[in-house]
Amino acid sequence: MSPSHVFVGRLSNESGLNYGQCIGYPGRLSNESGLNYKHVESGHLKESSGKGWYCRVCSPGARWKGLQHPSFLPFSCGNDILLTLAGSKYMESVPVQTGQTPPLLQYFGTLLTRGKLNAFESLELPCLVVNQNKKNLLENWLAEDKLECSEELGDLVKTVDSDPALKIYIKARATPKVVAAFAERREFDKILIYSKQVGYTPDYLFLLQTILRSDPQGAVNFALMMSQMEGGCPVDYNTITDLFLQRNLIRVATTFLLDVLKPNLPEHAHLQTKVLEINLVTFPNVADAILANGMFSHYDRPRIAQLWEKAGLYVRALQHYSELPDIKRVIVNTHAIEPQFFAVSCRVLWDSFSGVGAGMHEDLLLVNLRGNLQMIVQVAKEYSEQLGVDACIKLFEQFKSYEGLYFFLGSYLSSRESNFYDPEKTKNFLMEAKLPDARPLINVCDRFGFVPDLTRYLCSNNMLRYIEGYVQKINPGNAPLVVGQLLDDECPEDFIKGLILSVRSLLPVEPLVEECDPTLAVVAYRRGQCDDELISVTNKNSLFKLQAR
């Protein structure tokens, strides 16, 4: 019935209508009611499609046979029994005495025994149940198919329980609400299955945004499911990525892109660049791991090279740059480049850019002479044939890097074996060069008898560890010469004593000890049970108290 069929009024007293036949809620009046049609006030009773008469709503002031208000039992009239808002409100307003069943519940109870409620009734009754927190009744009625499912009913039931609400939405074919319910339950696979079954195309972008607000990981899972749909992903990969990045969800965006970009396709070059770019700015180690796995090959290499350089990862930058000015700018950062990779880079440079070697060496020496020297020497040795030995020598002389010159020439000449150099000049050259590594000087001085000069040089330059290394490992037999020179140069006495004791197992130390410290000699002779030597040294140095002990 349309709203125009809702009437409120009172029946004429002339109607002779029996109380039990007065229907305060929609109901067919049977012809047996004895209703005198001509005495019915217009608008109070209405004919239904020629099937008889019914009273939509009776006035609460009607009095029939001494009763205060009419009964609300509907007559059986098939589809013509329709609850209206006015009737519902009226029945709710009727006073109820203690122990009596409210009229509205009495009405619904009667209807439920006869069959299924209509749409309006299916909203009114659950509303009462929800308010009384009797969810079990609602579940029973749904199971018995007593309620007509609608989107409105689903919305009502959802306030207390989402499970039956979802069932109602499905029965009512409220497809958008079904999809939203699956999303809230994180059953993303069911969204795709259900939409395909009913032929529905959701607003996938809006749905993804909705999920993302409360469940970023769920949004990733849903996006990955969409990417595997037949016919392709309904939302562009770039749009999905931007949606994640707008919320600064870099790791979420990375997870999504790494999965969908596995095929390594040329058309995904922009997205490959993007995933490397966003991680180089925030998580360089992630970008490094991506490239280490060899996942991508179509990204913008010059762009990524710039970001590697900016992040201070110069090895990666060198792997990506292809222009000589860029390479020469980056390669001078040798503090962050492993020597082994540096040599490889130089070899690539030489192969790619003929003749670039010398200029690159100059740049490296200008930036950090001491720090880059060893690497330059190694490269000069490897490419001496291409560069020319004379050019390499001039390079080291240009920067007055005599240490570099020595190490470079050392690959051609051995100071311990060669007879083609002047020992005196070589010794003086090495002393003037003040190399941090004294081994070349030691080799020359040991071979040509410059041990006192060597000792004096090492002591004056605080290179005592080289003195220890010389007498302990290279030539212990020259220990007396070393000790004598140390005494002449007034080297610290503790160092001399320690040096002597360190070589006691390698050669006789008595002469050294007596010369250095007679008291120390007494200790050494006593420990060695050398009685004659002990008496001799104590008599010689008037150490009679020690002798008496």
Side-chain angles (χ1 to χ4, degrees), residues 422-444:
D422 186 315
E424 183 72 25
K425 289 183 178 180
T426 302
K427 178 199 71 172
N428 295 336
F429 166 77
L430 292 174
M431 288 183 175
E432 292 174 1
K434 295 186 180 297
L435 304 179
D437 187 347
R439 286 176 295 179
L441 179 62
I442 291 174
N443 292 337
V444 173

PDB file of all heavy atoms in Angstrom, residues 422-444:
ATOM      1  N   ASP A 422     123.784   2.678  -6.417  1.00  0.00           N
ATOM      2  CA  ASP A 422     124.806   3.184  -5.502  1.00  0.00           C
ATOM      3  C   ASP A 422     124.266   3.056  -4.080  1.00  0.00           C
ATOM      4  O   ASP A 422     123.301   3.741  -3.724  1.00  0.00           O
ATOM      5  CB  ASP A 422     125.128   4.640  -5.834  1.00  0.00           C
ATOM      6  CG  ASP A 422     126.289   5.172  -5.010  1.00  0.00           C
ATOM      7  OD1 ASP A 422     126.306   4.912  -3.789  1.00  0.00           O
ATOM      8  OD2 ASP A 422     127.134   5.851  -5.595  1.00  0.00           O
ATOM      9  N   PRO A 423     124.886   2.227  -3.219  1.00  0.00           N
ATOM     10  CA  PRO A 423     124.349   2.009  -1.867  1.00  0.00           C
ATOM     11  C   PRO A 423     124.264   3.292  -1.046  1.00  0.00           C
ATOM     12  O   PRO A 423     123.265   3.540  -0.368  1.00  0.00           O
ATOM     13  CB  PRO A 423     125.339   1.022  -1.251  1.00  0.00           C
ATOM     14  CG  PRO A 423     125.951   0.320  -2.421  1.00  0.00           C
ATOM     15  CD  PRO A 423     126.041   1.349  -3.501  1.00  0.00           C
ATOM     16  N   GLU A 424     125.327   4.111  -1.086  1.00  0.00           N
ATOM     17  CA  GLU A 424     125.348   5.329  -0.283  1.00  0.00           C
ATOM     18  C   GLU A 424     124.242   6.280  -0.713  1.00  0.00           C
ATOM     19  O   GLU A 424     123.510   6.834   0.127  1.00  0.00           O
ATOM     20  CB  GLU A 424     126.715   6.007  -0.408  1.00  0.00           C
ATOM     21  CG  GLU A 424     126.885   7.248   0.455  1.00  0.00           C
ATOM     22  CD  GLU A 424     127.003   6.927   1.931  1.00  0.00           C
ATOM     23  OE1 GLU A 424     127.428   5.808   2.284  1.00  0.00           O
ATOM     24  OE2 GLU A 424     126.651   7.810   2.750  1.00  0.00           O
ATOM     25  N   LYS A 425     124.108   6.499  -2.018  1.00  0.00           N
ATOM     26  CA  LYS A 425     123.075   7.412  -2.509  1.00  0.00           C
ATOM     27  C   LYS A 425     121.669   6.872  -2.233  1.00  0.00           C
ATOM     28  O   LYS A 425     120.754   7.628  -1.893  1.00  0.00           O
ATOM     29  CB  LYS A 425     123.259   7.631  -4.005  1.00  0.00           C
ATOM     30  CG  LYS A 425     124.488   8.465  -4.362  1.00  0.00           C
ATOM     31  CD  LYS A 425     124.557   8.703  -5.871  1.00  0.00           C
ATOM     32  CE  LYS A 425     125.755   9.583  -6.234  1.00  0.00           C
ATOM     33  NZ  LYS A 425     125.819   9.821  -7.699  1.00  0.00           N
ATOM     34  N   THR A 426     121.549   5.569  -2.379  1.00  0.00           N
ATOM     35  CA  THR A 426     120.228   4.967  -2.127  1.00  0.00           C
ATOM     36  C   THR A 426     119.855   5.113  -0.661  1.00  0.00           C
ATOM     37  O   THR A 426     118.709   5.434  -0.320  1.00  0.00           O
ATOM     38  CB  THR A 426     120.241   3.488  -2.530  1.00  0.00           C
ATOM     39  OG1 THR A 426     120.595   3.358  -3.908  1.00  0.00           O
ATOM     40  CG2 THR A 426     118.879   2.858  -2.293  1.00  0.00           C
ATOM     41  N   LYS A 427     120.860   4.878   0.228  1.00  0.00           N
ATOM     42  CA  LYS A 427     120.599   5.035   1.663  1.00  0.00           C
ATOM     43  C   LYS A 427     120.172   6.466   1.961  1.00  0.00           C
ATOM     44  O   LYS A 427     119.167   6.698   2.680  1.00  0.00           O
ATOM     45  CB  LYS A 427     121.855   4.681   2.461  1.00  0.00           C
ATOM     46  CG  LYS A 427     121.696   4.855   3.960  1.00  0.00           C
ATOM     47  CD  LYS A 427     123.044   4.943   4.655  1.00  0.00           C
ATOM     48  CE  LYS A 427     123.732   6.284   4.315  1.00  0.00           C
ATOM     49  NZ  LYS A 427     124.965   6.512   5.106  1.00  0.00           N
ATOM     50  N   ASN A 428     120.919   7.430   1.448  1.00  0.00           N
ATOM     51  CA  ASN A 428     120.581   8.831   1.705  1.00  0.00           C
ATOM     52  C   ASN A 428     119.206   9.204   1.121  1.00  0.00           C
ATOM     53  O   ASN A 428     118.434   9.953   1.733  1.00  0.00           O
ATOM     54  CB  ASN A 428     121.665   9.736   1.115  1.00  0.00           C
ATOM     55  CG  ASN A 428     123.006   9.559   1.799  1.00  0.00           C
ATOM     56  OD1 ASN A 428     123.070   9.129   2.955  1.00  0.00           O
ATOM     57  ND2 ASN A 428     124.094   9.868   1.099  1.00  0.00           N
ATOM     58  N   PHE A 429     118.913   8.670  -0.059  1.00  0.00           N
ATOM     59  CA  PHE A 429     117.621   8.960  -0.688  1.00  0.00           C
ATOM     60  C   PHE A 429     116.462   8.438   0.170  1.00  0.00           C
ATOM     61  O   PHE A 429     115.471   9.139   0.414  1.00  0.00           O
ATOM     62  CB  PHE A 429     117.567   8.327  -2.077  1.00  0.00           C
ATOM     63  CG  PHE A 429     116.192   8.285  -2.676  1.00  0.00           C
ATOM     64  CD1 PHE A 429     115.628   9.427  -3.230  1.00  0.00           C
ATOM     65  CD2 PHE A 429     115.443   7.113  -2.680  1.00  0.00           C
ATOM     66  CE1 PHE A 429     114.353   9.393  -3.771  1.00  0.00           C
ATOM     67  CE2 PHE A 429     114.179   7.078  -3.226  1.00  0.00           C
ATOM     68  CZ  PHE A 429     113.630   8.225  -3.778  1.00  0.00           C
ATOM     69  N   LEU A 430     116.633   7.222   0.666  1.00  0.00           N
ATOM     70  CA  LEU A 430     115.557   6.635   1.453  1.00  0.00           C
ATOM     71  C   LEU A 430     115.393   7.350   2.788  1.00  0.00           C
ATOM     72  O   LEU A 430     114.267   7.489   3.287  1.00  0.00           O
ATOM     73  CB  LEU A 430     115.843   5.142   1.683  1.00  0.00           C
ATOM     74  CG  LEU A 430     115.766   4.251   0.428  1.00  0.00           C
ATOM     75  CD1 LEU A 430     116.215   2.829   0.759  1.00  0.00           C
ATOM     76  CD2 LEU A 430     114.351   4.242  -0.138  1.00  0.00           C
ATOM     77  N   MET A 431     116.510   7.812   3.372  1.00  0.00           N
ATOM     78  CA  MET A 431     116.393   8.554   4.628  1.00  0.00           C
ATOM     79  C   MET A 431     115.730   9.904   4.416  1.00  0.00           C
ATOM     80  O   MET A 431     114.930  10.354   5.236  1.00  0.00           O
ATOM     81  CB  MET A 431     117.782   8.729   5.257  1.00  0.00           C
ATOM     82  CG  MET A 431     118.372   7.452   5.849  1.00  0.00           C
ATOM     83  SD  MET A 431     119.976   7.759   6.650  1.00  0.00           S
ATOM     84  CE  MET A 431     120.318   6.149   7.346  1.00  0.00           C
ATOM     85  N   GLU A 432     116.042  10.550   3.309  1.00  0.00           N
ATOM     86  CA  GLU A 432     115.422  11.839   3.023  1.00  0.00           C
ATOM     87  C   GLU A 432     113.936  11.691   2.696  1.00  0.00           C
ATOM     88  O   GLU A 432     113.136  12.587   2.974  1.00  0.00           O
ATOM     89  CB  GLU A 432     116.138  12.503   1.841  1.00  0.00           C
ATOM     90  CG  GLU A 432     117.557  12.935   2.151  1.00  0.00           C
ATOM     91  CD  GLU A 432     118.281  13.446   0.913  1.00  0.00           C
ATOM     92  OE1 GLU A 432     117.636  13.467  -0.169  1.00  0.00           O
ATOM     93  OE2 GLU A 432     119.469  13.802   1.018  1.00  0.00           O
ATOM     94  N   ALA A 433     113.573  10.554   2.111  1.00  0.00           N
ATOM     95  CA  ALA A 433     112.168  10.334   1.755  1.00  0.00           C
ATOM     96  C   ALA A 433     111.308  10.132   2.989  1.00  0.00           C
ATOM     97  O   ALA A 433     110.092  10.365   2.948  1.00  0.00           O
ATOM     98  CB  ALA A 433     112.056   9.120   0.839  1.00  0.00           C
ATOM     99  N   LYS A 434     111.922   9.703   4.114  1.00  0.00           N
ATOM    100  CA  LYS A 434     111.191   9.470   5.366  1.00  0.00           C
ATOM    101  C   LYS A 434     109.946   8.598   5.132  1.00  0.00           C
ATOM    102  O   LYS A 434     108.817   8.972   5.442  1.00  0.00           O
ATOM    103  CB  LYS A 434     110.791  10.798   6.023  1.00  0.00           C
ATOM    104  CG  LYS A 434     111.966  11.631   6.487  1.00  0.00           C
ATOM    105  CD  LYS A 434     111.522  12.855   7.257  1.00  0.00           C
ATOM    106  CE  LYS A 434     112.708  13.689   7.727  1.00  0.00           C
ATOM    107  NZ  LYS A 434     113.568  12.942   8.666  1.00  0.00           N
ATOM    108  N   LEU A 435     110.174   7.447   4.569  1.00  0.00           N
ATOM    109  CA  LEU A 435     109.072   6.530   4.294  1.00  0.00           C
ATOM    110  C   LEU A 435     108.485   5.997   5.598  1.00  0.00           C
ATOM    111  O   LEU A 435     109.221   5.724   6.558  1.00  0.00           O
ATOM    112  CB  LEU A 435     109.570   5.348   3.454  1.00  0.00           C
ATOM    113  CG  LEU A 435     110.256   5.684   2.115  1.00  0.00           C
ATOM    114  CD1 LEU A 435     110.707   4.409   1.444  1.00  0.00           C
ATOM    115  CD2 LEU A 435     109.302   6.458   1.234  1.00  0.00           C
ATOM    116  N   PRO A 436     107.160   5.861   5.676  1.00  0.00           N
ATOM    117  CA  PRO A 436     106.559   5.284   6.885  1.00  0.00           C
ATOM    118  C   PRO A 436     106.932   3.815   7.054  1.00  0.00           C
ATOM    119  O   PRO A 436     106.903   3.294   8.165  1.00  0.00           O
ATOM    120  CB  PRO A 436     105.058   5.450   6.648  1.00  0.00           C
ATOM    121  CG  PRO A 436     104.909   5.563   5.172  1.00  0.00           C
ATOM    122  CD  PRO A 436     106.142   6.248   4.690  1.00  0.00           C
ATOM    123  N   ASP A 437     107.294   3.172   5.957  1.00  0.00           N
ATOM    124  CA  ASP A 437     107.736   1.775   6.006  1.00  0.00           C
ATOM    125  C   ASP A 437     109.252   1.767   5.844  1.00  0.00           C
ATOM    126  O   ASP A 437     109.788   2.097   4.783  1.00  0.00           O
ATOM    127  CB  ASP A 437     107.066   0.989   4.872  1.00  0.00           C
ATOM    128  CG  ASP A 437     107.364  -0.504   4.980  1.00  0.00           C
ATOM    129  OD1 ASP A 437     108.260  -0.885   5.760  1.00  0.00           O
ATOM    130  OD2 ASP A 437     106.688  -1.287   4.266  1.00  0.00           O
ATOM    131  N   ALA A 438     109.964   1.368   6.913  1.00  0.00           N
ATOM    132  CA  ALA A 438     111.430   1.437   6.924  1.00  0.00           C
ATOM    133  C   ALA A 438     112.094   0.204   6.340  1.00  0.00           C
ATOM    134  O   ALA A 438     113.334   0.126   6.302  1.00  0.00           O
ATOM    135  CB  ALA A 438     111.925   1.650   8.356  1.00  0.00           C
ATOM    136  N   ARG A 439     111.343  -0.738   5.859  1.00  0.00           N
ATOM    137  CA  ARG A 439     111.951  -1.976   5.374  1.00  0.00           C
ATOM    138  C   ARG A 439     112.897  -1.763   4.191  1.00  0.00           C
ATOM    139  O   ARG A 439     113.974  -2.411   4.139  1.00  0.00           O
ATOM    140  CB  ARG A 439     110.848  -2.983   5.019  1.00  0.00           C
ATOM    141  CG  ARG A 439     110.194  -3.593   6.253  1.00  0.00           C
ATOM    142  CD  ARG A 439     109.046  -4.498   5.869  1.00  0.00           C
ATOM    143  NE  ARG A 439     107.948  -3.755   5.240  1.00  0.00           N
ATOM    144  CZ  ARG A 439     106.832  -4.326   4.802  1.00  0.00           C
ATOM    145  NH1 ARG A 439     106.677  -5.642   4.920  1.00  0.00           N
ATOM    146  NH2 ARG A 439     105.884  -3.585   4.260  1.00  0.00           N
ATOM    147  N   PRO A 440     112.582  -0.901   3.215  1.00  0.00           N
ATOM    148  CA  PRO A 440     113.572  -0.679   2.134  1.00  0.00           C
ATOM    149  C   PRO A 440     114.906  -0.168   2.668  1.00  0.00           C
ATOM    150  O   PRO A 440     115.975  -0.614   2.237  1.00  0.00           O
ATOM    151  CB  PRO A 440     112.890   0.357   1.252  1.00  0.00           C
ATOM    152  CG  PRO A 440     111.429   0.176   1.507  1.00  0.00           C
ATOM    153  CD  PRO A 440     111.327  -0.167   2.950  1.00  0.00           C
ATOM    154  N   LEU A 441     114.875   0.762   3.602  1.00  0.00           N
ATOM    155  CA  LEU A 441     116.104   1.296   4.191  1.00  0.00           C
ATOM    156  C   LEU A 441     116.850   0.219   4.962  1.00  0.00           C
ATOM    157  O   LEU A 441     118.096   0.113   4.899  1.00  0.00           O
ATOM    158  CB  LEU A 441     115.769   2.470   5.105  1.00  0.00           C
ATOM    159  CG  LEU A 441     116.945   3.132   5.819  1.00  0.00           C
ATOM    160  CD1 LEU A 441     117.922   3.738   4.808  1.00  0.00           C
ATOM    161  CD2 LEU A 441     116.461   4.203   6.793  1.00  0.00           C
ATOM    162  N   ILE A 442     116.129  -0.610   5.690  1.00  0.00           N
ATOM    163  CA  ILE A 442     116.756  -1.691   6.454  1.00  0.00           C
ATOM    164  C   ILE A 442     117.477  -2.657   5.520  1.00  0.00           C
ATOM    165  O   ILE A 442     118.599  -3.107   5.794  1.00  0.00           O
ATOM    166  CB  ILE A 442     115.703  -2.425   7.298  1.00  0.00           C
ATOM    167  CG1 ILE A 442     115.190  -1.513   8.428  1.00  0.00           C
ATOM    168  CG2 ILE A 442     116.274  -3.722   7.879  1.00  0.00           C
ATOM    169  CD1 ILE A 442     114.043  -2.096   9.219  1.00  0.00           C
ATOM    170  N   ASN A 443     116.838  -2.963   4.409  1.00  0.00           N
ATOM    171  CA  ASN A 443     117.460  -3.896   3.457  1.00  0.00           C
ATOM    172  C   ASN A 443     118.798  -3.366   2.939  1.00  0.00           C
ATOM    173  O   ASN A 443     119.797  -4.094   2.863  1.00  0.00           O
ATOM    174  CB  ASN A 443     116.504  -4.143   2.280  1.00  0.00           C
ATOM    175  CG  ASN A 443     115.265  -4.914   2.692  1.00  0.00           C
ATOM    176  OD1 ASN A 443     115.272  -5.625   3.697  1.00  0.00           O
ATOM    177  ND2 ASN A 443     114.198  -4.775   1.926  1.00  0.00           N
ATOM    178  N   VAL A 444     118.803  -2.083   2.582  1.00  0.00           N
ATOM    179  CA  VAL A 444     120.024  -1.491   2.032  1.00  0.00           C
ATOM    180  C   VAL A 444     121.114  -1.420   3.094  1.00  0.00           C
ATOM    181  O   VAL A 444     122.284  -1.805   2.863  1.00  0.00           O
ATOM    182  CB  VAL A 444     119.723  -0.102   1.453  1.00  0.00           C
ATOM    183  CG1 VAL A 444     121.030   0.592   1.034  1.00  0.00           C
ATOM    184  CG2 VAL A 444     118.781  -0.223   0.256  1.00  0.00           C
TER     185      VAL A 444
END
